[in-house]
Every structure is written in C-alpha cells, then in structure tokens.
Amino acid sequence: MSRVVIHAEGLGKRYRIGQGGRYLTLRDILASSLRAPWGLYRSSTPNSPDHQPRQHIWALKDVSFCIHEGEVVGIIGRNGAGKTTLLKILARVTRPTEGYAEVWGRVGTLLEVGTGFHPELTGRENTYLSGAILGMSKKEIDRKFEEIVAFAEVQDFIDTPLKYYSTGMQMRLAFAIAAHLEPDILLVDEVLAVGDFEFQRKCLSRMGDVAKGGRTILFVSHQMNQIRRLCKRVFWIDHGQIRAEGPAGEVISAYEASQLDLADENKSGCFLDWEISEGGNTIRDNFQDFSFGFSVRLREQVYQGHFGVCIVNESDAIIVGWGFDNLDIPAGVHKLTVKVPLLPIRPGVYTIVCTLFNRGNNLIGGQVVDRWYAVPSLVVDTTPLAHPQDRWAGLLNIPADLEVSPAPAVRPTLSGKL
C-alpha cells in the first residue's frame, strides 16, 4: 500500500462568537487608567457588569483520518459543516484547538480566489508574487509562465493591473498558478463554482492529470457531479464531524438521501421521489430493459393530463425526452412508471426533469400541476465505449468495431487517342 501523506488525529477547532470589543492601543489603556484607575480592574473581574461570558462554537470536533499518496478525496457537506476549516488546518493557515494533523510533502492550496494577489500589480507581477507565496522559485515560474498564462486564457491582459480583471479572470489565473505548482498535495476549495462550464471541464481535466501523476488531491465542492467524476473516496462532514467515509458513489448517495429527507418536510409539490427498476439512482447497464418510477401525491384528479420527462446533461442540453398525453389519474398517491428498452448515453451524472399538466399540455393551455428536478441525480455508471477523449465522445455511448482489410486494386484509366 502507498505511504500515508496526511494523518489527522482528534482534530478540533473552536471559534468564539458574539460581539467582540475593539483592539486597544497602549495610549487607550493608559488614558482609561488615569481617568478611572479602578475601571480596568472592574472590567476584568468575573462578577463585573462589564464582564460577559463568551460563547464558542466548534467548527470541527474529533476528526481523525488517513490519506495515502495518490488518493483523490472529495469532501462534501452543507454550508458551515466545517469543510473549509479542515482544509485551512491542513494548509497551516489556522491552528487546531485540539488534536493534530501531520502532512508530508509539498502542499499547494487554492482556498480562496486570488489569495496572495495585489490589485495594483499586473497579472504578470501577481503570477510571480503568488507563485513565490505558494513556494515556487523564480526559475520554476519562468519555466512555466507561458503555460500558466495560456491555461488561464489571459494573454491579452497579462500586463494589465489586476484590479481591472473580472472575478472569473482572477480565478482562472489563481487556479493556473496553483495547478502548475506540481505539489505533492493539492487542496482545492470550491474555486470552480465561479468558472464557466468549459473552464470547469479544463480544471477538472488538469486535476485528473495531477492525480494520474501520483499526487494527492483534497477537493471540496457542492457539485456532486464533479466529486463523482474526480474522486474515488469521499468524506461527508456534518456539524464538524465525519458522518460517513467511503467510496464516492455510496457516500454521495447517502448524502443526497439525507437532503431529500430534509426537503420532504417542506415539500409542496406533487412529486415525492423516484428510482429506477433496479432500485436507487444508478444505471450500471444501459443496454437492457429498465424503467423509471416516479411517485406522486395528487390533491385533485388529473383529467386528460400530460406527463413529460426529460434527461438533461451538465450543460443543460436535453439528451432525451418523453411525453405522455390523455392521462386520467384520480387523487391520491400513485406511481408513474416509464419503461425504456435501452439508454445508450455516456457515463456521467444527469438531471431528470418531470412536468405534470392537468387538462391538456403546454401547447393547448394545460394547467401545470408540478415541475420537478428529480433528486438525487441520475448516475450512469457504465464503461465508456465511445471515443476516449471527452471532447470527441459525443452524447451517446455506443460500441463500434473497426475492420481493416486490403483495398481492391484500382485499374489505371487510359486517356488520349490511339
């Protein structure tokens, strides 16, 4: 087994919350003591009216784990769960209140967009400044400078002050610098959220290359499709503790199910849940008969209604859609089952969008009963059968065979007159 590069034992981080006083200078303290000599003593006495108990919150509590060299680990959880705090401790940005974390190897961090950037400096100057902060030598930055600028797509603005860059441009440059650091361990915290789809795909491809090079990646994201695509192992952090740890598919499915349970309490639409015929939300063989089952709760009868289902990819393109008209469904709880003989689409994560109309469809003035983005997402976990490069693979996942055979001889044609 590969060696351990990160070992955390009993990590905890406590923060003080509530109103805090302003920082006092020496002049302020001396002036206050001259005006009221006993005031300083009274304010520091526990029973003093000026003394108020401080409140604390544990952002992390009793977190322990090991990460081996070459692992790509995703970290998921709700906002405020403690994900960013964990990365800051590993990056030595903040100290733990209790426990310890040992990290072996060169660490590259991308915790916030533009960390180490100065708005008055140009993109070129900030590249050298940020690279130096991350631990790169000038020779190393010189060698990789053109590649960094090309990756960030800021060639035309590299000598422009950073204050004129958009947030997206700053993010691209920051990621390009961190990604070309070639660290042993790369810590990435939700920085891809502000990038466009094409740049996100390029960043994920770059992190995939880093992982294939035997380096370790810790990746925090709220985009479950990104976590599924990049990570083999996932930590689910909840209220400062690791609630689940294991293979990406299992942990993400458990996390999404928990979010469904929370949403059910406030559910106002008619769609309740869904699953495929084999159970769950994952297709592992898309060349066989299977079905989608959608549970609905109708408060009133649907008469001559319409039920529409479509599958949408990451860039919001509709891959396939079905529509069913003239539906008569009484009030109550029912299951709508859509049977398909096969679904030869590329492996990945997709969104299922369901719409139910009453008294017609959208073309003839039907009334919308509910429109639902199915949760959890549809996962197609099959072997890629099309082109090995994503950009050329297309939307479908259909196998093909190539046969090479000798071409028949071509007779030369005669021209001219005899």
Side-chain angles (χ1 to χ4, degrees):
M1 180 178 289
S2 58
R3 66 187 180 94
V4 173
V5 293
I6 300 178
H7 175 219
E9 190 67 37
L11 274 185
K13 180 62 179 178
R14 187 180 68 172
Y15 289 103
R16 188 177 67 188
I17 61 175
Q19 183 178 6
R22 69 181 183 92
Y23 291 100
L24 299 178
T25 65
L26 178 60
R27 184 179 63 180
D28 294 331
I29 296 174
L30 293 175
S32 298
S33 62
L34 290 175
R35 286 196 302 267
W38 298 101
L40 188 61
Y41 170 77
R42 286 196 302 269
S43 62
S44 61
T45 304
N47 295 326
S48 169
D50 296 330
H51 182 85
Q52 298 180 358
R54 297 173 179 175
Q55 296 181 345
H56 297 84
I57 184 172
W58 286 92
L60 285 178
K61 185 67 174 177
D62 194 25
V63 172
S64 301
F65 59 86
C66 287
I67 296 177
H68 293 82
E69 184 179 26
E71 278 196 286
V72 182
V73 179
I75 303 177
I76 63 176
R78 303 177 65 188
N79 289 331
K83 306 184 297 297
T84 300
T85 300
L86 175 59
L87 289 195
K88 286 183 176 180
I89 291 176
L90 297 179
R92 301 295 190 257
V93 174
T94 187
R95 294 172 61 90
T97 305
E98 61 183 23
Y100 65 91
E102 297 176 315
V103 180
W104 293 273
R106 187 183 191 186
V107 178
T109 62
L110 198 51
L111 303 183
E112 296 178 6
V113 174
T115 300
F117 283 174
H118 193 290
E120 298 297 332
L121 300 180
T122 66
R124 182 186 304 273
E125 294 166 335
N126 272 294
T127 299
Y128 281 88
L129 173 63
S130 181
I133 291 174
L134 291 173
M136 299 172 71
S137 66
K138 184 178 183 302
K139 290 184 178 180
E140 188 177 3
I141 301 174
D142 287 339
R143 188 173 69 253
K144 300 176 181 178
F145 181 80
E146 296 299 330
E147 187 178 354
I148 290 173
V149 174
F151 187 93
E153 301 174 2
V154 293
Q155 296 94 326
D156 296 337
F157 308 95
I158 193 62
D159 292 310
T160 302
L162 199 77
K163 62 184 178 181
Y164 298 114
Y165 283 34
S166 67
T167 301
M169 292 169 65
Q170 293 184 38
M171 186 274 297
R172 294 201 302 269
L173 184 58
F175 184 90
I177 296 169
H180 288 81
L181 172 63
E182 296 185 359
D184 299 310
I185 302 169
L186 181 61
L187 309 178
V188 183
D189 183 12
E190 198 61 51
V191 296
L192 303 183
V194 296
D196 56 33
F197 173 75
E198 186 62 31
F199 184 71
Q200 287 184 19
R201 186 169 64 177
K202 185 162 66 171
C203 290
L204 289 171
S205 177
R206 177 67 186 185
M207 286 194 287
D209 294 339
V210 171
K212 291 177 183 177
R215 300 181 181 92
T216 305
I217 298 177
L218 268 70
F219 182 38
V220 170
S221 179
H222 290 285
Q223 302 294 324
M224 295 300 106
N225 57 330
Q226 294 178 353
I227 295 287
R228 282 190 175 98
R229 176 177 174 180
L230 189 66
C231 305
K232 299 297 184 184
R233 184 178 171 209
V234 169
F235 294 159
W236 171 13
I237 297 182
D238 188 28
H239 293 91
Q241 296 182 312
I242 296 181
R243 181 166 172 178
E245 171 189 350
E250 296 178 8
V251 177
I252 291 174
S253 295
Y255 171 71
E256 290 178 331
S258 73
Q259 303 310 299
L260 272 177
D261 293 339
L262 293 175
D264 283 343
E265 299 178 1
N266 300 318
K267 185 180 291 292
S268 58
C270 75
F271 287 97
L272 301 177
D273 54 39
W274 79 280
E275 65 177 3
I276 60 176
S277 52
E278 299 176 350
N281 65 314
T282 302
I283 295 176
R284 294 184 171 84
D285 184 359
N286 49 8
F287 285 92
Q288 66 174 3
D289 294 344
F290 62 92
S291 60
F292 300 96
F294 303 93
S295 298
V296 297
R297 179 187 292 115
L298 301 178
R299 295 181 174 84
E300 59 182 22
Q301 178 183 2
V302 170
Y303 174 72
Q304 292 295 295
H306 170 88
F307 176 49
V309 181
C310 64
I311 298 177
V312 181
N313 67 7
E314 297 173 355
S315 55
D316 292 330
I318 296 178
I319 305 302
V320 63
W322 303 278
F324 308 93
D325 290 304
N326 303 317
L327 300 178
D328 293 327
I329 310 174
V333 178
H334 304 276
K335 188 171 185 178
L336 308 180
T337 301
V338 178
K339 298 180 179 180
V340 295
L342 75 167
L343 190 65
I345 60 177
R346 289 178 53 194
V349 181
Y350 298 87
T351 300
I352 300 179
V353 185
C354 304
T355 308
L356 183 62
F357 287 83
N358 196 5
R359 299 183 182 277
N361 54 38
N362 59 314
L363 298 178
I364 59 174
Q367 177 186 359
V368 177
V369 178
D370 191 14
R371 179 178 175 85
W372 186 54
Y373 289 82
V375 180
S377 302
L378 169 66
V379 179
V380 179
D381 185 15
T382 58
T383 302
L385 303 173
H387 200 286
Q389 298 179 22
D390 286 349
R391 61 180 300 187
W392 302 109
L395 301 176
L396 303 180
N397 192 40
I398 300 176
D401 294 320
L402 174 66
E403 180 179 326
V404 179
S405 57
V410 179
R411 292 185 179 181
T413 58
L414 301 177
S415 60
K417 296 181 180 180
L418 296 176

